[in-house]
Amino acid sequence: MFSCKKSSSSKNSSRATGWNINDKNGGFQYNTNFKEQETAPGLVFIEGGTFTMGKVQDDVMHDWNNSPNQQHVQSFYMDETEVTNMMYLEYLDWIKRVYPPDDPNFRLIYDGALPDTLVWRNRLGYAEMMTENYLRHPGYAEYPVVGVSWIQAVEFANWRTDRVNEMYLQDAGYLKRDSHLTDTSADSNFNTDTYITAPTETFGGNEEVLKGGKRKARTDAEGNEINVYASRETGVISPKYRLPSEAEWEYAALGMSELRNYNTYRGRKKYPWNGQYTRSGKRKSRGDQLANFKQGKGDYGGIAGWSDDGADITAQVMSYEANDYGLYDMAGNVAEWVADVYRPIVDDEFNDFNYYRGNVYTKNAINDDGTVKIVTPEEVVYDTLSNGKLVARNLPGEILQVPVDENETYLRTNFDTSDNRNYRDGDARSSRYYNESFDEEETANTRKMYNSPKHNIERDSSGNLIKEYDKSNDRTSLINDKVRVYKGGSWKDRDYWLDPAQRRFFPQDMATDYIGFRCAMSRVGSKSKGKNKTKN
C-alpha cells in the first residue's frame, strides 16, 4: 500500500503536493509571509465599491455627454495631491542626468518631457512672470504642475514606477545601495518590466549592481545560486503608477468612504465635500471657500481679505480641506487628466466593473534567439505629435513592445484585437454609418460616427516639418481616439465644473495652464485593508 505524507499546517508546506516551499536546497520559492500591499510613496488607500457614475447635478451646458449609470470600482490607491512642480522637476533632473541633453542622441528625450511653459501666455493679458517662473521657482514648488500633456503625464507615471521599485529592491537587498545615484547612464538604467522578465539585462547587465545588495543569494544542493533576483512572487515589486481611470477618479472625488450615506450612494452628492454650497457652513470656518475656482466674471479669488479663496491662479496643494478619503483638491485648483479615451457615453451595457476605455494590448518583442528585445540608445523611436513636438516612444533599457497578434487573440472571447479604444463605438462591427462620402479615401456608406479633422504632420529627410492642416468644411466633431477625458474644475472654471461627474476632453498631445494630473495604483489582494488571511 502506498503511504502519503501527512498534511502540514505549516505555511511553508504545500497544500497541493505536501512538498516544502522555500526549501533551502531549492525548489519552489514564494513569499509565504506576505501580509498586505505597502502604500507606495504619495498615495492614499481608496476602498472600492459601487456608486452612481455620471450623476451631474446641473446641465446648463446641455452637452448630453453623461447619463447616470451604476459602476463598481475595485480598491486602489491615489495620490494625496496633484503632482507638483517639485515632483516633476525631480523627474526632469533624472532625465537630464541619465540622458544628457547636450548629447545629440538624447536631446529630444529631455525636450519631449519639458512642460509647455508658454501655456500661460494670453494675447490680451500679461503672464510672462508665470511663463518664466511657475515651473522652476521655489515659490511655486508645491503648486500643481501644468503645461503637461496626457502623454507626458503617462511617461511621468512610468518613470515613477521604476524609481519606487528601484528603491524597494535596494531596501530588500536585491540591488546595490545608492545605485540610482552612482550608476546613472543610458546604458545602465533600471526598468521594472525588464527586471522582472530579463533581470540580467537590467543596468546593462552590471552584476556589481544586480548582485551587490546586502541580500546574499543561497545555493542549492548542486551549488547553483537561487533567489538572486526578486520576482513578482517575492512581493517586493510594486504594481505600476498610472493615471486613474475616469470611474476611479470620479469615485474617489466623491469621497465614498461612507456607503451608508444614501445621498452619496445614489449620486446626490454635488461636490467632494458634503452640502450644496462652495462655502463652509462650519462655525469655525463659516463663509470660507472650500476650493480654488473662478467665482465670477473678472473674479478669480474674491475681494481681498477673509472672503478671498486665497489664490488667483493655482494654489499650493493642501490649501483646502481634504475629502473623506484624505484627497486634496479633487475640486478646483487644476482639472486633471484621467486615463480614458473620450466618448460621449459610458457603455455600461457592456461593462459595469472597473470601466475604462482605452485598452491597447501589447506584448514583448522577441529576438531570433528567443530573448526579449531590449531597446538600446541607438534604437529609440520618436513620435511626431500633432503640434510638431517630438517625444520618445521608448527609452533605453525598456523592453520593446509590439501589438498583440493572432497568437494571443485566436478563439478568444474576451478580446480579439490589439487596439480597443474604438470598441463598440466606431469599429467595423458596431459603428453607425452614413450615406454621404466625405473623403476620397472614404467610400460611400463608410463614414464613421466621429468625423474629426485629419491634420497631417511629418518630417522630411532633412528633419523639416511638413504641416498639412485639414481645412475641410465637412468635419462634424473633434472627437477621435487621441482625445482624453479630464475631470474636475480648475482655477479658471466656474463652480459648475467642480461637480466630480462633469467631464470634458482635450487632445492627448496638447497642454493647458489649467490641467494637471495625479497618479493612481491598483491594489493587489484583499478589497479592504487588513483583511488578508496570511499573517506575518
Side-chain angles (χ1 to χ4, degrees):
M1 178 182 291
F2 292 99
S3 62
C4 295
K5 185 176 180 179
K6 291 183 178 180
S7 63
S8 171
S9 61
S10 170
K11 60 187 176 183
N12 282 322
S13 178
S14 168
R15 287 192 291 140
T17 64
W19 292 110
N20 286 335
I21 300 171
N22 301 318
D23 194 284
K24 64 181 180 179
N25 293 319
F28 179 47
Q29 304 293 311
Y30 198 82
N31 181 3
T32 56
N33 291 318
F34 182 83
K35 184 177 180 181
E36 189 169 70
Q37 180 177 348
E38 180 179 349
T39 302
L43 305 179
V44 296
F45 174 68
I46 312 292
E47 183 171 341
T50 298
F51 80 113
T52 302
M53 181 179 177
K55 181 66 174 177
V56 295
Q57 301 299 305
D58 303 294
D59 191 21
V60 298
M61 304 293 290
H62 298 294
D63 286 334
W64 299 105
N65 69 347
N66 227 336
S67 57
N69 61 95
Q70 188 159 296
Q71 293 285 339
H72 189 97
V73 175
Q74 279 188 293
S75 297
F76 64 104
Y77 298 82
M78 182 177 272
D79 266 333
E80 185 178 26
T81 71
E82 297 120 340
V83 171
T84 64
N85 285 318
M86 187 162 65
M87 293 166 68
Y88 202 88
L89 286 173
E90 183 183 1
Y91 167 51
L92 293 178
D93 176 74
W94 182 88
I95 292 178
K96 184 180 286 187
R97 286 187 286 111
V98 177
Y99 308 111
D102 55 1
D103 185 329
N105 292 322
F106 301 137
R107 179 178 60 83
L108 294 174
I109 294 178
Y110 183 74
D111 289 350
L114 285 171
D116 182 4
T117 58
L118 300 184
V119 295
W120 288 106
R121 284 184 171 168
N122 185 312
R123 293 179 182 87
L124 294 179
Y126 180 76
E128 291 308 290
M129 186 276 291
M130 275 88 81
T131 297
E132 295 168 357
N133 293 286
Y134 183 80
L135 173 64
R136 298 184 183 275
H137 196 284
Y140 292 115
E142 293 299 325
Y143 284 57
V145 67
V146 296
V148 175
S149 70
W150 181 92
I151 292 174
Q152 290 173 315
V154 169
E155 288 304 312
F156 173 89
N158 293 338
W159 164 83
R160 192 175 174 187
T161 298
D162 292 339
R163 303 291 72 75
V164 169
N165 277 323
E166 190 174 11
M167 177 185 69
Y168 285 165
L169 290 168
Q170 286 186 23
D171 291 345
Y174 285 99
L175 296 179
K176 174 186 172 183
R177 174 62 66 181
D178 294 332
S179 58
H180 65 294
L181 299 174
T182 58
D183 298 273
T184 54
S185 70
D187 296 316
S188 181
N189 186 19
F190 175 84
N191 175 263
T192 300
D193 289 335
T194 302
Y195 184 85
I196 292 172
T197 306
T200 58
E201 299 294 325
T202 316
F203 297 106
N206 186 344
E207 289 197 2
E208 182 183 351
V209 176
L210 290 167
K211 297 183 180 181
K214 63 185 178 183
R215 182 185 181 90
K216 300 302 179 184
R218 292 182 295 177
T219 57
D220 60 18
E222 287 75 34
N224 300 312
E225 288 184 322
I226 58 175
N227 295 336
V228 179
Y229 309 111
S231 62
R232 291 199 191 278
E233 288 84 352
T234 64
V236 173
I237 298 172
S238 170
K240 295 179 180 179
Y241 285 88
R242 54 178 174 80
L243 290 182
S245 69
E246 180 180 3
E248 287 175 332
W249 193 98
E250 187 173 326
Y251 176 86
L254 286 169
M256 304 276 291
S257 61
E258 291 295 336
L259 288 180
R260 296 184 186 91
N261 184 317
Y262 182 83
N263 286 338
T264 301
Y265 180 75
R266 290 300 178 191
R268 291 185 173 88
K269 189 174 183 182
K270 186 173 184 178
Y271 298 117
W273 52 85
N274 291 323
Q276 298 292 310
Y277 305 99
T278 63
R279 291 188 182 273
S280 173
K282 296 180 180 178
R283 185 171 184 179
K284 181 179 179 181
S285 56
R286 182 166 294 167
D288 287 355
Q289 288 288 3
L290 297 172
N292 173 22
F293 64 98
K294 183 179 179 180
Q295 297 178 33
K297 186 174 178 61
D299 184 357
Y300 288 82
I303 300 172
W306 73 269
S307 65
D308 185 48
D309 70 10
D312 41 24
I313 55 168
T314 55
Q316 182 171 311
V317 297
M318 298 187 180
S319 293
Y320 304 90
E321 288 188 16
N323 72 359
D324 289 344
Y325 276 134
L327 300 171
Y328 292 87
D329 295 318
M330 295 300 285
N333 215 17
V334 290
E336 298 177 18
W337 289 115
V338 296
D340 295 57
V341 169
Y342 175 81
R343 288 295 185 269
I345 62 168
V346 170
D347 190 0
D348 61 314
E349 291 185 3
F350 185 80
N351 183 40
D352 56 6
F353 182 78
N354 275 2
Y355 188 88
Y356 165 65
R357 178 181 289 280
N359 283 311
V360 179
Y361 301 125
T362 62
K363 63 179 180 179
N364 297 336
I366 305 298
N367 293 314
D368 293 338
D369 61 359
T371 59
V372 292
K373 172 68 175 175
I374 307 296
V375 178
T376 65
E378 297 76 25
E379 296 172 324
V380 175
V381 176
Y382 296 92
D383 288 329
T384 302
L385 305 182
S386 61
N387 55 10
K389 193 170 185 177
L390 291 174
V391 296
R393 183 188 305 173
N394 45 38
L395 293 176
E398 296 178 355
I399 300 175
L400 181 65
Q401 295 296 300
V402 295
V404 298
D405 55 26
E406 194 179 41
N407 291 327
E408 289 75 35
T409 63
Y410 182 65
L411 292 184
R412 281 191 177 273
T413 58
N414 56 332
F415 72 97
D416 57 8
T417 186
S418 176
D419 188 347
N420 296 274
R421 291 174 297 179
N422 223 16
Y423 183 66
R424 283 173 60 95
D425 196 4
D427 65 313
R429 291 179 299 175
S430 61
S431 262
R432 285 185 59 191
Y433 291 102
Y434 299 81
N435 292 326
E436 300 93 341
S437 176
F438 283 81
D439 283 317
E440 292 180 2
E441 69 269 21
E442 292 178 336
T443 59
N445 299 318
T446 61
R447 180 190 168 199
K448 292 185 177 180
M449 182 186 295
Y450 298 109
N451 181 37
S452 61
K454 293 178 172 59
H455 309 305
N456 183 52
I457 187 165
E458 56 187 45
R459 293 180 182 269
D460 61 21
S461 57
S462 301
N464 299 315
L465 279 177
I466 302 174
K467 303 176 182 178
E468 296 180 5
Y469 186 79
D470 188 344
K471 298 180 180 180
S472 170
N473 293 323
D474 298 320
R475 300 304 181 190
T476 59
S477 174
L478 293 176
I479 300 171
N480 57 49
D481 289 343
K482 295 183 179 180
V483 296
R484 301 284 172 166
V485 178
Y486 68 95
K487 301 280 282 185
S490 74
W491 65 273
K492 222 172 184 178
D493 294 312
R494 299 295 298 270
D495 60 345
Y496 168 76
W497 295 107
L498 301 185
D499 185 338
Q502 297 289 0
R503 56 202 304 262
R504 291 176 280 180
F505 66 91
F506 202 72
Q508 67 182 27
D509 57 1
M510 295 185 184
T512 75
D513 60 352
Y514 60 87
I515 301 178
F517 70 101
R518 71 181 75 208
C519 297
M521 179 183 289
S522 300
R523 175 171 170 82
V524 297
S526 64
K527 177 178 182 288
S528 303
K529 274 203 163 189
K531 294 294 180 67
N532 276 341
K533 293 181 179 180
T534 304
K535 303 295 183 182
N536 280 329

